[in-house]
């Protein structure tokens, strides 16, 4: 019997090592893809820069025009698109974990719309130019997204049972519809300058593409991402269901509220500088889960990298597909995300 137990234990350890090596390889490949898209994006745009021109400019040998294009226009936008992709992907992964619903996403649940509503209200009362007080953007978006999340959480909460997954989706869709209707009414009251700004924001055009917005966004991610990673084991526990989580000694509702707050803050800070980009938080966790499995210790970093690659690729394509004009990044992500959402919805009915 002891020999059998030893053999089983050895097999389990070998299997764990195999999975660990596999996941390490996958994360390394994701990192390489991220670097590759970073390089491709630097060399892509209306004004052509060869790889040699880009390399020379990076090391201080570029002309004034090349420095302007690379350091003032392309690099901040590339960095923001990757940060936003990572943040929205992590937000979606957290929401799917705490709700145990694979169709949950900060955009579909109305959290992005709540953040956008606060943006529009500020523009309406103070004007688009005053709104360029960069470091207030994430706080304003967080207020709107936080209020929306609280409303959805309360309405989706079933007494004695916690959050009902399907109720969460239906509540989020209903709240998003209400916010969208109110947004339409407010947009009518905007002047031409304000309307152009709000239209660009709603389309997800990554309008804040300068280093100030990178600096405004970065502290939020540097604080929230390590916190979320620290809670990866708790996310694993919550995905097992409330009864098992309670049995394991977890403070289910308290932990769920903390994680939901982190997810809302991630989504709000990202959409504040990128505009409303949906489906990233839906697609990225699913793709990452297929690659590395459901354990959040590995899933979260994989999800962040997948989201960064997705938004970066969408932004690069959006900048070049209809030159000299460009398609908003949010629209390009939606072109990819909407069919995938319908596929997941159809699959969930089986």
């Amino acid at each position: 019997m002891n020999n059998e137990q030893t053999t089983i234990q050895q097999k389990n350890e070998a299997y764990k090592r195999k999975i660990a090596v596999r996941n390490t390889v996958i994360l390394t490949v994701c990192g390489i893809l991220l670097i590759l898209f970073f390089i491709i994006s630097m060399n892509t745009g209306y004004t052509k820069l060869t790889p040699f021109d880009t390399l020379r400019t990076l090391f201080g040998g570029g002309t004034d025009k090349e420095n302007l294009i690379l350091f003032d226009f392309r690099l901040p936008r590339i960095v923001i698109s990757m940060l936003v992709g990572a943040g929205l992907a992590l937000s979606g992964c957290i929401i799917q974990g705490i709700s145990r619903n694979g169709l949950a996403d900060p955009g579909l649940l109305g959290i992005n719309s709540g953040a956008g509503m606060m943006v529009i209200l500020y523009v309406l009362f103070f004007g688009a130019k005053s709104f360029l007080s960069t470091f207030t953007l994430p706080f304003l978006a967080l207020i709107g997204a936080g209020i929306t999340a609280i409303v959805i959480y309360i309405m989706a909460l079933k007494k004695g049972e916690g959050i009902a997954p399907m109720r969460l989706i239906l509540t989020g869709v209903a709240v998003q519809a209400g916010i969208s209707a109110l947004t339409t009414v407010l947009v009518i009251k905007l002047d031409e300058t304000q309307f152009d700004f709000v239209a660009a924001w709603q389309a997800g055009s990554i309008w804040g593409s300068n280093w100030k917005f990178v600096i405004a966004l970065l502290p939020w991610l540097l604080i929230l991402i390590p916190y979320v990673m620290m809670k990866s084991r708790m996310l694993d526990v919550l995905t097992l269901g409330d009864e098992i989580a309670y049995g394991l000694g977890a403070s289910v509702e308290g932990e769920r509220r903390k994680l939901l707050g982190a997810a809302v803050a991630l989504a709000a800070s990202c959409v504040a500088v990128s505009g409303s980009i949906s489906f990233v938080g839906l697609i990225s966790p699913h793709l990452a889960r297929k690659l590395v499995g459901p354990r959040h210790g590995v899933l979260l970093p994989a999800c962040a990298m997948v989201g960064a690659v997705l938004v970066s690729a969408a932004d690069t394509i959006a900048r070049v597909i209809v030159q000299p004009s460009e398609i908003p990044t949010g629209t390009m992500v939606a072109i990819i995300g909407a069919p995938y959402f319908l596929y997941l919805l159809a699959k969930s009915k089986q």
Side-chain angles (χ1 to χ4, degrees):
M1 187 68 178
N2 289 334
N3 290 334
E4 289 181 6
Q5 288 178 344
T6 302
T7 303
I8 291 172
Q9 187 176 0
Q10 288 174 345
K11 287 182 178 179
N12 286 337
E13 288 176 357
Y15 178 75
K16 288 179 181 178
R17 285 195 297 270
K18 182 181 177 181
I19 293 297
V21 170
R22 175 178 172 271
N23 288 342
T24 301
V25 171
I26 290 172
L27 289 176
T28 303
V29 171
C30 287
I32 293 170
L33 279 175
L34 195 59
I35 294 169
L36 183 62
F37 272 101
F38 191 93
I39 294 169
I40 291 171
S41 296
M42 282 195 299
N43 292 281
T44 304
Y46 179 66
T47 303
K48 303 299 181 184
L49 289 180
T50 66
F52 177 74
D53 292 334
T54 302
L55 192 62
R56 177 167 46 81
T57 305
L58 283 173
F59 285 95
T63 64
D64 290 342
K65 181 181 178 181
E66 289 170 341
N67 284 323
L68 181 68
I69 291 169
L70 189 61
F71 290 109
D72 291 350
F73 294 149
R74 289 188 187 172
L75 277 178
R77 181 160 178 164
I78 294 167
V79 172
I80 283 178
S81 67
M82 289 187 170
L83 292 177
V84 165
L88 290 176
L90 286 172
S91 178
C93 189
I94 296 165
I95 292 173
Q96 288 179 13
I98 62 178
S99 66
R100 304 191 307 281
N101 191 325
L103 298 178
D105 165 75
L108 295 173
L109 294 182
I111 292 172
N112 290 2
S113 298
M117 174 62 66
M118 189 59 68
V119 171
I120 294 170
L121 285 172
Y122 193 94
V123 171
L124 181 62
F125 287 105
F126 297 99
K129 289 185 178 179
S130 65
F131 191 70
L132 297 179
S133 177
T134 310
F135 295 93
T136 63
L137 295 180
F139 292 101
L140 291 169
L142 180 59
I143 292 170
I147 293 171
T148 305
I150 290 169
V151 171
I152 293 171
Y153 181 85
I154 292 172
M155 294 179 70
L157 198 62
K158 212 170 183 179
K159 194 172 181 180
E161 297 182 21
I163 290 179
M166 189 51 64
R167 182 181 292 189
L168 181 72
I169 292 290
L170 295 176
T171 302
V173 170
V175 170
Q176 184 186 36
I179 293 174
S180 297
L182 185 56
T183 299
T184 303
V185 174
L186 291 174
V187 166
I188 296 172
K189 298 180 177 294
L190 300 176
D191 61 33
E192 187 176 345
T193 303
Q194 293 170 337
F195 179 82
D196 289 343
F197 175 85
V198 170
W201 192 94
Q202 288 182 319
S205 61
I206 307 190
W207 63 277
S209 54
N210 63 58
W211 292 112
K212 286 184 180 179
F213 290 91
V214 174
I215 295 170
L217 176 60
L218 202 55
W220 291 78
L221 299 186
L222 290 176
I223 293 170
L224 291 168
I225 290 177
Y227 173 76
V228 170
M229 289 302 303
M230 284 170 49
K231 292 290 185 179
S232 60
R233 287 183 179 274
M234 182 54 62
L235 276 168
D236 289 337
V237 171
L238 291 177
T239 55
L240 298 174
D242 289 1
E243 290 185 5
I244 296 176
Y246 278 121
L248 292 172
S251 175
V252 175
E253 290 306 320
E255 293 294 340
R256 184 177 280 138
R257 282 193 291 268
K258 291 176 186 176
L259 285 164
L260 181 60
V264 169
L266 279 168
S269 58
C270 288
V271 301
V273 300
S274 70
S276 182
I277 298 179
S278 298
F279 294 113
V280 178
L282 173 70
I283 299 172
S284 303
H286 279 275
L287 294 177
R289 208 172 282 117
K290 287 182 179 180
L291 290 172
V292 299
R295 193 168 62 85
H296 284 86
V298 183
L299 177 61
L300 288 170
C303 188
M305 284 191 278
V306 169
V309 169
L310 176 63
V311 177
S312 176
D315 185 54
T316 302
I317 295 169
R319 284 190 283 121
V320 300
I321 196 169
V322 289
Q323 287 183 350
S325 300
E326 65 177 57
I327 299 172
T329 305
T331 303
M332 184 57 64
V333 173
I335 291 171
I336 302 168
Y340 193 75
F341 174 70
L342 292 175
Y343 161 74
L344 291 175
L345 193 61
K347 190 177 178 182
S348 69
K349 291 180 180 179
Q350 294 177 354

